[in-house]
Amino acid sequence: MMTPLTTTPQLTLDQAAGQKLMAAFAGYEPSAQILRLLQRQHLGGVTLFRSLNVQSPAQVRALNAALQAAAAASGQPPLLIGADQEGGTLMALAGTTAFPGNMALGAAGDPALARQVGFALGQELAAQGVNVNYAPVCDVNNNPQNPVVGTRSFGEDPAAVAALAAALVTGLQAAGVAATLKHFPGHGDTSGDSHHGLPVVQHDAARLARIELPPFAAGIAAGARLVMTAHIALPAIDAAADLPATLSPAILRGILRDRLGFDGVIISDALDMRAIEQGAGLVIDAIAAAAAGVDLLILNSVVEDQETVAAGLRQAVARGLLAREATLASAGRVLDLKRWVSAQPQPALEVVACAAHRALALEVAARAVTLVRDDAHLLPLRRAPEARLAAVVPQPADLTPADTSSYVTPSLAAALRRRHAHVDEFIVPLNPTDADVAALRDQLREYDLVVIGTINATAHTGQAALVQALLDGGPPVVAVALRLPYDLAAYPAAPTYLCTYSLLESSMEALCDVLWGARPVGGRLPVSIPALYPRGHGMPAGAA
């Protein structure tokens, strides 16, 4: 439990510079590295990563209590402790309720439901000592080729994304966890991944005002306490074509502060992403980000990088490259945030993955399932007890660094078996080869029905080839997009097609309820499937 911050500390310039740093470390307990850093200088806080810091909710709670105790022992204000607990494909904390994610909420289309999810997410984070959630994603996903946002977005309609983002903010912060709007000014219409390079977006101010900015404006109006910057370049806004928004005063001050009126904490996306200079150039970009108006810098766990950036910021302040007044004002915003989070109560650990939250996850999943077409009139399923069913699912994988899908165990077959006795499971490669497709086609022809899930089949053509092979003279096929709904464009002949927007257990249970007619189908496409179906399309089971 952190000690509440009730007064405003008088910081030196070096301490104020230290408050800009969100460090990371490897360990399930505070590492010697992070403890030395806390003894040596002030920190804004730390970011927890699933692969580095997370075993269980009880372990995370103990870890965070130990970090806060170490900060207090060194005479520092409480730490901000952040994590990417978005739901769906990105969940930094293990053992928590597996909510289906933003695009599932977009398919359900209910801001009240999104607020409930935000509150539940916030309760579970607060119970573990995490006080900042790097969510919600406010990006409007209007580019089917976007490799990094996808189902992390609520959808392609700015007004719908705005309403759902604001609702999630309200829920998170009602639970005492600070919400973070990301990725400003909008990462939804990119075809590149800023983890690997610098996407350049040619949008002008009018386009931003119409499409990208409304969800951020709504989140700010809802009281979001942080905004995270995107590592994307917008040369129509800032003439430097290779300058990420993270480093752009025109974007951060001109648009976010002045135009949208945001007066909270601006936090960078991770500085170890390749859109930002690495190696010797990292400290220069960190100083440039601070000069552009970033209050908190997310660093990786490499000790040398943390020390270099910390020393560079101190030197920049000492040499006047970072103005004294701006540095102190930035630290003041961070301390205001710390004051707010430290005053929030901590729920009992029993709230994590409690029955009420699991039921809420199932409700979201059920309301999201979208029946796009059933030209074969297969639904609801009516199969003889002795019929043999096959469940085919690609092996889940992390498709980007902002992905935790590799931790998911496929559960479609298990969900089907709870409704039908004879179900065999086939876990296939993410991108099956021609030989894989031929072998599976021959095996699956022996079954009475195949339920096949696909994961971003437009990018993994082997999956589309497998679906098409099964459609060519095989048993009846139910095709299900387990992630992006655009998959139908890769196998447009599929006569029965549904979307779950998630391959988590709650989504598989809800899917099977829909397949057997135990639940109505209420989801609507939150994005259009180009040349096939518009946003908002959805049909009830049994409809022609």
Side-chain angles (χ1 to χ4, degrees):
M1 188 72 173
M2 75 181 79
T3 302
L5 181 62
T6 56
T7 61
T8 301
Q10 296 299 311
L11 301 181
T12 67
L13 281 174
D14 278 0
Q15 291 170 340
Q19 289 294 324
K20 300 185 83 67
L21 303 178
M22 291 292 286
F25 64 96
Y28 303 130
E29 299 176 347
S31 66
Q33 162 208 342
I34 197 69
L35 291 175
R36 283 195 301 270
L37 194 59
L38 285 168
Q39 291 166 358
R40 192 165 62 241
Q41 68 166 81
H42 274 223
L43 280 183
V46 299
T47 300
L48 301 184
F49 293 95
R50 187 155 180 171
S51 61
L52 299 179
N53 309 113
V54 176
Q55 287 178 311
S56 70
Q59 169 265 322
V60 171
R61 182 177 171 118
L63 167 64
N64 289 334
L67 288 168
Q68 296 291 6
S74 65
Q76 294 196 38
L79 297 172
L80 300 173
I81 299 178
D84 283 298
Q85 191 76 348
E86 296 176 6
T89 59
L90 184 53
M91 295 192 295
L93 302 185
T96 54
T97 303
F99 288 101
N102 284 352
M103 194 164 281
L105 285 168
D110 184 354
L113 187 63
R115 187 193 183 283
Q116 287 181 268
V117 170
F119 187 73
L121 284 168
Q123 283 188 309
E124 297 197 6
L125 289 167
Q128 296 173 80
V130 175
N131 51 38
V132 175
N133 193 9
Y134 299 147
V137 170
C138 292
D139 303 321
V140 178
N141 198 77
N142 49 17
N143 185 341
Q145 304 305 315
N146 191 316
V148 68
V149 176
T151 56
R152 298 168 68 196
S153 167
F154 294 105
E156 71 180 21
D157 176 55
V161 174
L164 294 167
L168 203 74
V169 166
T170 302
L172 275 170
Q173 296 190 167
V177 172
T180 308
L181 311 177
K182 66 183 186 185
H183 307 81
F184 187 83
H187 208 317
D189 193 11
T190 62
S191 55
D193 184 346
S194 52
H195 291 92
H196 305 300
L198 179 65
V200 177
V201 179
Q202 301 295 339
H203 301 327
D204 60 15
R207 155 64 193 241
L208 289 176
R210 188 174 69 256
I211 304 293
E212 278 76 20
L213 296 184
F216 292 98
I220 291 167
R225 294 185 174 269
L226 300 96
V227 172
M228 179 179 287
T229 65
H231 299 329
I232 61 172
L234 290 96
I237 305 299
D238 193 317
D242 60 349
L243 189 66
T246 302
L247 313 185
S248 170
I251 293 172
L252 301 188
R253 290 203 179 95
I255 298 177
L256 182 54
R257 292 288 190 210
D258 297 342
R259 180 171 173 180
L260 297 185
F262 181 64
D263 60 3
V265 170
I266 299 177
I267 186 169
S268 75
D269 207 340
L271 292 187
D272 62 348
M273 294 163 65
R274 291 302 182 262
I276 297 294
E277 282 293 323
Q278 301 301 301
L282 177 61
V283 66
I284 302 300
D285 273 4
I287 293 169
V294 174
D295 299 307
L296 288 171
L297 302 165
I298 296 182
L299 301 175
N300 61 26
S301 60
V302 178
V303 177
E304 293 78 8
D305 287 349
Q306 294 178 6
E307 291 177 343
T308 299
V309 170
L313 290 175
R314 289 194 297 270
Q315 185 75 350
V317 170
R319 293 291 184 261
L321 297 176
L322 295 176
R324 177 182 185 279
E325 294 77 11
T327 301
L328 293 173
S330 176
R333 288 188 287 272
V334 173
L335 292 178
D336 285 344
L337 177 59
K338 291 186 171 189
R339 183 177 298 103
W340 184 81
V341 297
S342 69
Q344 306 302 316
Q346 185 173 29
L349 197 59
E350 286 72 22
V351 75
V352 179
C354 65
H357 290 177
R358 295 197 306 273
L360 178 61
L362 183 58
E363 180 184 356
V364 174
R367 293 177 62 181
V369 174
T370 305
L371 178 57
V372 177
R373 67 161 65 141
D374 185 22
D375 295 346
H377 303 288
L378 293 177
L379 305 184
L381 292 178
R382 298 288 184 263
R383 287 293 180 271
E386 66 276 11
R388 297 177 64 211
L389 274 60
V392 183
V393 180
Q395 179 62 48
D398 296 339
L399 301 186
T400 77
D403 194 344
T404 54
S405 297
S406 62
Y407 292 90
V408 177
T409 300
S411 58
L412 174 59
L416 288 169
R417 289 186 191 115
R418 282 188 272 277
R419 292 151 183 87
H420 189 85
H422 303 293
V423 179
D424 290 332
E425 181 178 51
F426 295 84
I427 306 299
V428 302
L430 190 62
N431 203 16
T433 64
D434 290 345
D436 293 330
V437 169
L440 280 163
R441 178 195 58 209
D442 292 341
Q443 282 183 282
L444 294 172
R445 280 181 173 163
E446 303 300 318
Y447 287 82
D448 298 290
L449 177 77
V450 176
V451 180
I452 181 167
T454 57
I455 299 174
N456 292 19
T458 57
H460 303 104
T461 55
Q463 292 182 42
L466 177 58
V467 174
Q468 190 58 54
L470 295 175
L471 292 173
D472 293 338
V477 172
V478 175
V480 185
L482 302 178
R483 193 156 168 162
L484 286 170
Y486 309 118
D487 285 8
L488 186 61
Y491 45 81
T496 301
Y497 179 73
L498 301 95
C499 302
T500 62
Y501 315 96
S502 155
L503 50 76
L504 299 173
E505 185 175 355
S506 59
S507 296
M508 298 303 93
E509 289 294 329
L511 168 67
C512 292
D513 280 349
V514 165
L515 293 180
W516 262 266
R519 288 181 186 266
V521 191
R524 296 289 182 267
L525 287 173
V527 297
S528 55
I529 303 176
L532 290 171
Y533 293 99
R535 178 183 62 82
H537 173 81
M539 58 187 295

